[in-house]
Amino acid sequence: MGRGDGRGRLVSPDGADDTGTRILHVDMDAFYAAVEVMDDPSLRGLPLIIGAPDGRSVVSSASYEARRYGVRAAMPVSQAMRLCPSAKIVVPHFERYRAVSSQVMTIFESITPLVEPLSVDEAFLDVQGVRRLWGSPGQIARLIRERVVAEVGISCSVGVAATKHVAKMASTISKPDGMLIVAAADTLDFLAPRSVRTMWGVGPKASDALEARGIRTIGDIRDSPQDMLDRAVGSALGARIAQLARGEDARAVETERVEKSVGHEETFEVDVSDREFLRAELLRLADRVAVRLRKASWECATVAIKIRFDDFTTLSRSQTLAEPTSVGQRIGEAAQTLYESIDRRDPVRLVGVRAEKLRPAGGSAFALWDDDEHWRKVEGALDDARARFGTATITRARHVGRGDGRDAVRHPKDHGVD
């Protein structure tokens, strides 16, 4: 399947068996850090932390030199600097990352029309239909790696396999700057010794539950009774991981990216204990989410919130609505209800509201009445006013003149449809 190339990389050799494969998972190596090094070569070889320099921010990404010290994404920058005091903090340049991502995706799309981006730095490709043009899946993987380096200036790792799940695992194992081919006939042997923690979609809690029952490898999953898996992680996930452990994954590469959620978050420079202020913030964020939904002609069936406390503990709660909506008042009320369901009263550093399970607006069955009719009209009028006079001039009365100074210390983090 793969071997070291003398430089510490895991690279399948020329002519490696790629029989039965069709899926590539391509993942840029430490993408944010790589772009920063490309733009400023003096950073090459340094441990880099991509994030804001203030102590309350979190790590967006890190170079491999910093990762060797245990620095990871989503870790507080202050903790990352304790682990790696020599690291250099680099403020992220998201517009630049998106521009480079566009270059990379253009390369993928020049190879095959079947490209499914997962994020700015990774994508699945189905290359079955372009073999006559470019060669076998393994040859196509090598071509992509060469073109990304030559045309963009950064490196990537590629997994080649018969299924999405195995291709993504293979690319992860081969990082950085590697390539691993798993022929269809080798799938079970490839999976068997791998830790349950390496499975795509199996999180730390599920892994802990499996390991507590002595299920430590994917081979162990395959050998375990289904009722034991169901007791450990629930029937839905239990059935899913049993299929994946057997190498079964029928998911196709989806070329049309369907919006899954829209959200906004707010990080405070000063921890906030005022619950009424936090309730008002949730409503304000819900209004912003609703505006995004209406502009895109979507409604949401589920509302979720995220609360991060001063000790960085993060809690999430979600609620399915009786009827899908794009009304900020309804989304805000659901967000506030979810917040009240959380017992902790510790100071809060971040709040977020997210609309999930999106669907086209107006798709619900005809109703005899509309409980949101009043607010729908109000928010429609506000949309019109914002279009004429700008977003900064229109807000709810409760958000004006609070006089507590917190508006001056917000650190907004806007998240679009993803």
Side-chain angles (χ1 to χ4, degrees):
M1 278 180 277
R3 67 186 181 201
D5 68 347
R7 288 184 289 169
R9 302 180 305 171
L10 180 63
V11 181
S12 291
D14 290 343
D17 183 11
D18 59 5
T19 305
T21 65
R22 66 183 298 163
I23 305 297
L24 275 57
H25 180 260
V26 188
D27 197 355
M28 301 301 108
D29 299 318
F31 180 57
Y32 290 1
V35 174
E36 296 295 343
V37 170
M38 180 172 62
D39 291 347
D40 181 0
S42 70
L43 299 175
R44 189 175 305 278
L46 300 180
L48 303 179
I49 293 173
I50 311 301
D54 64 88
R56 299 183 59 81
S57 67
V58 296
V59 176
S60 294
S61 182
S63 66
Y64 286 104
E65 291 83 358
R67 295 181 191 190
R68 296 191 188 104
Y69 291 84
V71 176
R72 295 290 182 268
M75 174 183 291
V77 169
S78 55
Q79 180 183 354
M81 289 302 297
R82 286 195 295 272
L83 291 172
C84 184
S86 62
K88 180 177 178 61
I89 298 176
V90 179
V91 176
H93 299 91
F94 294 109
E95 287 297 327
R96 175 64 175 146
Y97 306 150
R98 283 190 284 270
V100 175
S101 172
S102 179
Q103 290 179 267
V104 172
M105 297 300 168
T106 297
I107 292 175
F108 298 165
E109 290 163 359
S110 73
I111 300 290
T112 173
L114 300 180
V115 177
E116 180 184 349
L118 293 184
S119 64
V120 295
D121 62 347
E122 61 176 321
F124 285 112
L125 287 71
D126 187 330
V127 298
Q128 180 67 20
V130 296
R131 297 183 60 154
R132 289 187 179 180
L133 286 174
W134 306 109
S136 72
Q139 291 171 322
I140 294 171
R142 290 184 178 86
L143 173 63
I144 287 174
R145 280 166 41 78
E146 291 168 2
R147 287 190 58 184
V148 169
V149 170
E151 299 175 29
V152 182
I154 59 178
S155 67
C156 63
S157 298
V158 185
V160 183
T163 67
K164 278 184 166 182
H165 179 243
V166 177
K168 185 164 174 59
M169 287 183 63
S171 71
T172 301
I173 291 168
S174 71
K175 292 179 78 67
D177 193 18
M179 181 183 73
L180 184 59
I181 299 173
V182 183
D186 296 331
T187 297
L188 295 183
D189 289 340
F190 168 80
L191 290 172
R194 311 289 171 190
S195 166
V196 296
R197 296 181 181 274
T198 65
M199 297 183 77
W200 181 31
V202 178
K205 289 185 179 179
S207 297
D208 289 344
L210 291 167
E211 290 177 347
R213 290 165 172 80
I215 304 171
R216 301 186 179 279
T217 68
I218 298 176
D220 292 338
I221 293 176
R222 197 184 309 156
D223 296 337
S224 298
Q226 188 62 51
D227 60 346
M228 178 183 291
L229 299 177
D230 293 347
R231 287 195 300 272
V233 297
S235 57
L237 183 56
R240 184 64 183 148
I241 64 173
Q243 289 179 321
L244 295 176
R246 297 192 297 267
E248 300 169 7
D249 182 5
R251 288 173 293 182
V253 171
E254 301 287 346
T255 57
E256 293 186 4
R257 188 166 180 264
V258 178
E259 290 84 350
K260 297 179 180 179
S261 65
V262 175
H264 285 280
E265 296 180 356
E266 207 67 81
T267 300
F268 308 110
E269 185 175 332
V270 178
D271 296 329
V272 176
S273 299
D274 184 340
R275 293 181 66 82
E276 283 306 309
F277 174 80
L278 293 170
R279 284 173 55 86
E281 280 295 284
L282 290 169
L283 183 57
R284 188 179 68 83
L285 293 173
D287 282 337
R288 297 178 67 184
V289 167
V291 169
R292 296 277 292 276
L293 289 175
R294 293 192 293 271
K295 283 184 177 179
S297 297
W298 291 98
E299 294 175 332
C300 68
T302 298
V303 173
I305 66 168
K306 178 165 74 173
I307 307 293
R308 179 169 295 152
F309 295 98
D310 57 345
D311 63 354
F312 284 90
T313 299
T314 304
L315 300 181
S316 299
R317 298 288 186 272
S318 64
Q319 172 185 327
T320 298
L321 304 174
E323 292 289 340
T325 188
S326 60
V327 173
Q329 182 68 21
R330 183 70 61 220
I331 295 170
E333 289 173 354
Q336 291 173 336
T337 299
L338 290 168
Y339 173 59
E340 294 300 334
S341 71
I342 297 175
D343 292 332
R344 284 189 61 165
R345 296 296 187 266
D346 304 275
V348 171
R349 62 174 283 124
L350 175 149
V351 294
V353 176
R354 185 166 290 276
E356 300 178 341
K357 295 185 179 178
L358 306 190
R359 37 155 292 168
S364 58
F366 176 75
L368 295 177
W369 61 83
D370 181 359
D371 290 337
D372 290 334
E373 181 179 6
H374 169 70
W375 282 109
R376 203 181 305 278
K377 289 179 178 178
V378 170
E379 295 184 12
L382 290 175
D383 289 344
D384 292 340
R386 291 187 183 102
R388 292 181 61 191
F389 304 113
T391 58
T393 60
I394 308 295
T395 188
R396 291 178 182 261
R398 73 181 64 189
H399 300 320
V400 177
R402 288 183 57 85
D404 57 10
R406 290 186 177 90
D407 281 347
V409 295
R410 291 193 181 103
H411 283 182
K413 285 178 60 182
D414 294 347
H415 296 269
V417 175
D418 57 20

